[in-house]
Amino acid sequence: MVFLTRGLLLRTYSKDFIDKLRIYVRGGTGGNGHPTLGGIGGRGGDVYLVGATKSDMTLKSMKDKYPEKRFVADTGQSSRKQALSGLNGASIYVQVPHGISIVDAANNQVMGEISGPLDKLLVARGGRGGMRSTTFIPRPGQRRNLYLDLKLIADVGFVGFPNAGKSTLLSRISNAKPKIANYPFTTITPQIGVIQYPDFRKIQLADLPGLVEGAYLNKGRGHSFLKHIERTKLLLFVVDISGFQLSTKHQFRNAFETVQLLTQELRSYDASLTNKPSILAVNKMDLPAADDLFNKLKDGINTRTTSNFESDCDEIMKFKEVIPISAHTGKGTEKLSSRIREIIDNRKLNIRKRLTGGGNESVRITNTDHELNLHSLP
């Protein structure tokens, strides 16, 4: 059972992690034309966003490097007697982290995405130089305020309510060392870990801040959490076998109701998330009476029993497997690591074979760089 204290309610998210950054971009103004001699001014430079050459770049490091967050391309050269056609202004190429969606702040429309070092997106075109059709007056470049919206790229995304043991599990099966404590919301920023198998195969895991009821309505971190699981290949649900209660003001949920409620949160945010491959890790199996509680959970999953709490969701995820574990003692975690790899590797194989996924698989329950020539910004 989880209780929130006044002090915990005042906890804030670390300023070292940023998943959304607003920037200003402007294409260069065109050069002046020469009305007497009919000369044409050069075009202003363009502004491009490109995937960083180093995959460890973050929005925080970008903000620190460019605190003004303004990116303006060069002005086109004006026409003159010695050169009637002015040279075009230099374009600039701004490196951004991988996994970024670029959103126009004026209309909230997504302009594109940057997923890797080969990606490039034109975000502000330079203005035309002065010419006869413009009465030799140059045109300004495009101006935009943009949001850089980060969605983490990881193979596996952890899904669970606070205090389910996600951080402990991450530290058990990967190289990550997240903060762990006996109170909710220990994870206040995403934690990334990597499982390295004996044959050196690596799988990346993302432990994200715990959900709260109503996350899909943007309560708590809401959308800031849910958006990060959109890019994952596999969802790992982590549930406390003894149940969950956010605070004394919230209703207690047993393990099955917790799974059902988590399903509702994902479906309400984006129904397609419920179609992702998923595993249910039932944690804290070292607690007294855990075996009896696990049997009840299995019955609910197998029969798709409707729970007693009020909800508009009468379904649960179709898990590839339900695995009982104890992140504290390590029980079941080797089985979990093996199954994670099996599902992800099979998914890659199916994609290569261009197969569509089947929907009749029954749940299994276990009882034990490319280099870019970048313009130098001031």
Side-chain angles (χ1 to χ4, degrees):
M1 185 176 297
V2 175
F3 298 94
L4 292 179
T5 67
R6 182 178 178 83
L8 292 177
L9 288 172
L10 295 176
R11 290 175 65 86
T12 58
Y13 289 87
S14 170
K15 295 180 180 179
D16 292 332
F17 177 78
I18 298 175
D19 58 9
K20 197 168 191 176
L21 183 66
R22 184 180 175 120
I23 65 172
Y24 172 80
V25 295
R26 190 180 78 200
T29 302
N32 292 314
H34 199 300
T36 303
L37 300 176
I40 299 174
R43 188 181 189 93
D46 300 325
V47 181
Y48 292 88
L49 300 185
V50 298
T53 54
K54 295 182 178 180
S55 61
D56 59 352
M57 182 182 182
T58 66
L59 287 179
K60 177 66 166 57
S61 63
M62 182 179 176
K63 180 182 178 182
D64 291 342
K65 187 174 182 180
Y66 308 110
E68 294 185 357
K69 297 171 289 184
R70 293 173 58 88
F71 305 96
V72 180
D74 287 350
T75 300
Q77 188 181 75
S78 295
S79 173
R80 59 191 192 281
K81 291 182 179 180
Q82 296 82 357
L84 292 180
S85 294
L87 297 176
N88 293 337
S91 296
I92 61 173
Y93 297 81
V94 183
Q95 293 193 66
V96 298
H98 305 167
I100 292 291
S101 294
I102 295 91
V103 182
D104 190 332
N107 52 25
N108 208 34
Q109 295 296 311
V110 176
M111 298 179 62
E113 295 186 348
I114 301 294
S115 299
L118 297 178
D119 293 347
K120 179 175 71 173
L121 181 68
L122 174 64
V123 292
R125 186 174 293 280
R128 295 171 60 188
M131 60 185 68
R132 188 176 300 278
S133 63
T134 66
T135 64
F136 300 98
I137 298 173
R139 295 290 185 257
Q142 291 179 323
R143 306 181 183 195
R144 285 196 173 101
N145 287 299
L146 303 175
Y147 286 115
L148 306 185
D149 193 14
L150 173 66
K151 296 178 182 178
L152 293 178
I153 301 175
D155 297 305
V156 182
F158 284 34
V159 176
F161 289 123
N163 217 30
K166 300 188 303 299
S167 296
T168 305
L169 178 59
L170 183 69
S171 65
R172 170 69 67 175
I173 64 176
S174 79
N175 62 356
K177 302 299 178 186
K179 183 177 180 180
I180 300 169
N182 291 324
Y183 51 78
F185 304 113
T186 303
T187 302
I188 56 177
T189 61
Q191 301 283 344
I192 302 296
V194 176
I195 305 178
Q196 181 165 309
Y197 296 88
D199 61 354
F200 302 104
R201 169 79 162 94
K202 294 181 179 180
I203 290 179
Q204 193 171 59
L205 314 172
D207 174 24
L208 305 161
L211 284 169
V212 297
E213 292 188 39
Y216 70 95
L217 296 173
N218 214 19
K219 292 182 180 179
R221 283 285 277 180
H223 295 173
S224 296
F225 160 79
L226 289 166
K227 71 177 185 179
H228 287 304
I229 62 176
E230 293 180 20
R231 295 178 185 269
T232 58
K233 302 180 180 71
L234 173 68
L235 300 182
L236 178 59
F237 282 59
V238 184
V239 171
D240 186 335
I241 188 58
S242 60
F244 169 71
Q245 186 175 17
L246 182 63
S247 74
T248 54
K249 296 180 180 180
H250 292 79
Q251 183 177 339
F252 173 78
R253 314 295 193 191
N254 63 33
F256 177 72
E257 291 171 342
T258 301
V259 173
Q260 193 173 7
L261 193 56
L262 287 169
T263 304
Q264 174 183 306
E265 294 294 337
L266 297 191
R267 191 190 69 171
S268 299
Y269 174 74
D270 182 351
S272 67
L273 293 177
T274 60
N275 296 322
K276 278 184 174 288
S278 58
I279 294 176
L280 173 59
V282 184
N283 195 22
K284 305 186 181 180
M285 288 298 295
D286 53 310
L287 297 177
D291 290 338
D292 290 338
L293 293 173
F294 184 69
N295 289 331
K296 292 179 181 179
L297 174 61
K298 285 194 298 183
D299 291 341
I301 291 174
N302 286 330
T303 61
R304 295 295 195 268
T305 305
T306 302
S307 57
N308 295 323
F309 74 94
E310 295 182 2
S311 169
D312 61 357
C313 179
D314 58 357
E315 63 177 291
I316 63 172
M317 297 286 291
K318 296 179 180 179
F319 297 108
K320 296 285 187 180
E321 189 155 358
V322 179
I323 304 177
I325 66 167
S326 169
H328 177 66
T329 66
K331 176 184 177 182
T333 56
E334 289 188 8
K335 171 67 177 179
L336 177 61
S337 297
S338 297
R339 188 63 172 132
I340 287 172
R341 175 173 179 172
E342 180 183 343
I343 292 173
I344 289 178
D345 286 352
N346 285 342
R347 179 181 181 276
K348 289 183 177 180
L349 180 62
N350 288 339
I351 290 175
R352 281 196 291 266
K353 291 181 177 179
R354 299 182 181 276
L355 295 176
T356 57
N360 298 320
E361 182 178 354
S362 60
V363 64
R364 204 163 94 191
I365 298 180
T366 305
N367 287 313
T368 46
D369 297 299
H370 173 79
E371 294 186 359
L372 294 173
N373 183 17
L374 302 176
H375 181 78
S376 177
L377 294 172

